[in-house]
């Protein structure tokens, strides 16, 4: 029996797949088991295949794998979509009384459990709870104590009243009892529970939580997949701390509202995805030119144009690095795990204010919708430090005034960071403009002042490189001559791929890069390695291009742009092929 269990439910959009999967994931995490989830859903409200997968183990899990042990199939297409992951010992739970499943037979040596989900649900109190019947059946198959499912049901439905909670519990037990009475199971699973306490959250939620911890008090955004959950998490929560969430009429107004709030002194943020980032581009320069601290979150999805809104891709790196006209100093951070979404959001706010510049926080769909378990200590609010940078109050504003007692918000300092006042500070009144300006913020076209201001803004990056730690995260064998480099959400899959490779006698050194710009110079690491492979979810190898430019050395590339994230076993095989000199397909299967 494997150390981990892989479970899924699939059907049509609108069948309650997401809520069912989340209930099971919560039940597992509350039972002290680690959880890693993934979702596959179509870009429509109803219809189209959708699935929710849960991988669970007592030890930590970091990725999805090519194995599915238990499948709740609400449609026959669900089985077809997952055939590559099903195996002879897989158990498929289905409702043979449904018209679309009446002729279904489990393929090969797989075990099919025909459970009358709808009929049992109606016995419990209503057809709407048929998915909970299926969960009860799955608990019996997996050897998972149904009492743990009770806790998750109470958490999910307690606000709807005890009658609804009781109906769902009864539905689960009917499913469990039906499997007990009607079937002898081929594999005796027994999911171990522990007393460990875990937090279960996804990347968007972690970003929202990090924003609150960082002191964000204004968020403006426009709904767009897969960034909307950042706004939904903040709505109602940030208000408790004196903050405000505004749903704007479009992305351009969203970023401009956030800019206005930041000018007023509030820590501000907006979040969007590819098409929204396109619309926001005009404002990037205004943020940098006016030296306003602002966090812009880009939760990437498949493009270009509308592309595939509900599919994975890391295609916006060039946009966040180079988007906007003129030369715009900016910082680009790319969290590599769900937990890092929390910590890098806090860091983004601090960097924005310390260097008075736009900071791009780059996530992606895979991380946004993935729910993963963590120890609560990883989100220690008491350890959060707020750094507001060179903020000037009434006691020291005179240090930054000229001979005419005028405040100089764009003073040409040695480190490139100018003084900043909030509205209401006596002696700190000033103006600024998106036009080129002098130290007072007044427009100018004088050549010497233009050069002085451009150089001053660029010096922020040089200062940050000296003052901050931009190191990548390092894993694997530090002495290996084979180097793998990646960024963003690929880290978890690569970590498990390293374990797979080690079992096969292949050692690699792995650098996972959360800092895109500024960044540590990896040229020496690249030159010292015999083989260098860059892993990313896009077609052209945008991060590989950046590293080749830095090192003036060619690198090998593993690119995936199917709309689906890397799996650990798949990635291990691809790395092994590259190291063996085999030519792998650019588009991973």
């Amino acid at each position: 029996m494997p150390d981990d269990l892989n479970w899924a439910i699939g059907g049509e959009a609108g069948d309650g797949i997401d809520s069912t999967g989340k209930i099971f994931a919560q039940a597992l995490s509350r039972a002290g088991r680690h959880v890693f989830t993934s979702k596959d859903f179509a870009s429509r409200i109803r219809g189209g295949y959708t699935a929710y997968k849960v991988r669970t183990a007592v030890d930590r899990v970091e990725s999805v794998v090519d194995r599915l042990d238990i499948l709740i199939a609400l449609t026959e297409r669900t089985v077809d979509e997952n055939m590559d992951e099903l195996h002879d010992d897989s158990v498929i739970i289905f409702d043979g009384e449904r018209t679309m499943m009446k002729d279904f037979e489990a393929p090969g040596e797989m075990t099919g459990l025909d459970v009358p989900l709808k009929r049992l649900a109606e016995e419990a109190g209503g057809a709407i709870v048929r998915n909970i019947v299926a969960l009860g059946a799955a608990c019996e198959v997996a050897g998972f104590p149904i009492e743990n499912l009770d806790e998750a049901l109470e958490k999910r439905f307690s606000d709807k009243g005890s009658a609804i909670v009781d109906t769902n519990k009864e539905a689960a037990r009917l499913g469990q009892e039906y499997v007990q009475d009607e079937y002898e199971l081929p594999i005796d699973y027994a999911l171990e529970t522990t007393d460990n306490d875990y937090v279960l959250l996804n990347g968007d939620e972690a970003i929202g939580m990090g924003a609150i911890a960082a002191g964000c008090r204004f968020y403006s955004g426009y709904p767009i997949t897969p960034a909307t959950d950042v706004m939904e998490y903040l709505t109602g929560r940030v208000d408790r701390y004196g903050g405000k969430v505004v749903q704007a009429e479009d992305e351009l107004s969203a970023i401009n509202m956030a800019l206005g709030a930041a000018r007023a002194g509030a820590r501000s943020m907006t979040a969007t995805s590819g098409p929204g980032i396109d619309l926001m581009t005009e404002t990037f320069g205004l943020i940098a030119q006016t030296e306003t601290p602002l966090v812009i979150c880009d939760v990437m999805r498949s493009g270009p144009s509308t592309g595939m809104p509900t599919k994975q891709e890391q295609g916006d790196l060039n946009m966040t690095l180079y988007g906007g006209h003129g030369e715009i100093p900016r910082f680009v951070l790319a969290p590599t795990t769900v937990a890092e979404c929390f910590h890098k959001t806090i860091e983004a706010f601090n960097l924005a204010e310390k260097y008075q510049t736009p900071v791009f926080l780059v996530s992606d769909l895979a991380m946004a919708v993935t729910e993963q378990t963590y120890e609560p200590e990883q989100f220690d609010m008491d350890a959060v430090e707020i750094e507001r940078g060179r903020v000037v109050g009434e006691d020291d504003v005179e240090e930054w005034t000229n001979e005419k007692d005028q405040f100089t918000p764009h003073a040409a300092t040695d480190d490139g960071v100018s003084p900043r006042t909030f509205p209401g500070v006596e002696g700190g009144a000033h103006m600024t403009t998106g036009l080129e300006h002098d130290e007072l913020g007044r427009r100018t076209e004088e050549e010497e002042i233009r050069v002085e201001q451009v150089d001053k803004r660029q010096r922020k990056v040089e200062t940050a490189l000296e003052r901050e730690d931009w190191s990548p995260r390092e894993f694997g064998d530090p002495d290996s001559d084979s180097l793998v480099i990646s960024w963003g959400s690929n880290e978890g899959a690569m970590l498990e791929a390293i374990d797979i490779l080690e079992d096969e006698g292949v050692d690699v050194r792995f650098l996972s890069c959360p800092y895109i710009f500024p960044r540590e110079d990896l040229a020496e690491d690249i030159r010292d390695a015999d083989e260098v492979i860059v892993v990313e979810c896009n077609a052209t190898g945008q991060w590989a291009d950046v590293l080749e430019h830095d090192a003036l050395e060619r690198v090998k590339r593993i690119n995936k742009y199917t709309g689906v994230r890397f799996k650990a076993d798949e990635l291990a095989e691809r790395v092994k092929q590259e190291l063996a000199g085999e030519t792998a397909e650019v588009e991973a299967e």
Side-chain angles (χ1 to χ4, degrees), residues 208-220 234 237-246 257-258 261-262 264-270 294-295 349 353 384 386 388:
M209 189 166 68
I212 292 175
C216 176
R217 294 298 176 263
F218 185 83
Y219 177 96
S220 52
L234 289 171
R237 288 184 172 90
V238 75
D239 303 58
R240 303 172 195 168
Y241 305 95
K244 186 69 177 177
V245 172
V246 175
M257 285 182 184
R267 281 197 155 188
S268 302
M269 176 183 180
T270 187
L294 188 64
V295 176
F349 277 100
E353 292 207 306
V384 173
I386 306 296
R388 304 219 62 173

Side-chain angles (χ1 to χ4, degrees), residues 17 127 161-162 197 236 313 321 392 400 420 436 494 520 553 581:
I17 304 298
S162 59
D197 182 25
E313 193 168 279
L321 273 176
V392 175
W400 299 98
R420 178 173 174 236
E436 190 56 88
M494 190 60 214
E520 184 170 294
E553 294 277 346

Side-chain angles (χ1 to χ4, degrees), residues 8 48 52 112-113 141 184 202 244 278 293 306 325 360 373 377 380 384 413 428 430 458 474 478 481 538 540:
Y52 192 113
L113 303 184
V141 175
E184 289 188 13
N202 63 37
K244 186 69 177 177
D278 291 344
T306 309
H325 58 280
F360 292 89
T373 44
E377 294 76 23
D380 184 1
V384 173
T413 58
H430 62 277
Q458 294 296 336
E474 183 168 352
D481 293 326
N538 55 53
T540 58

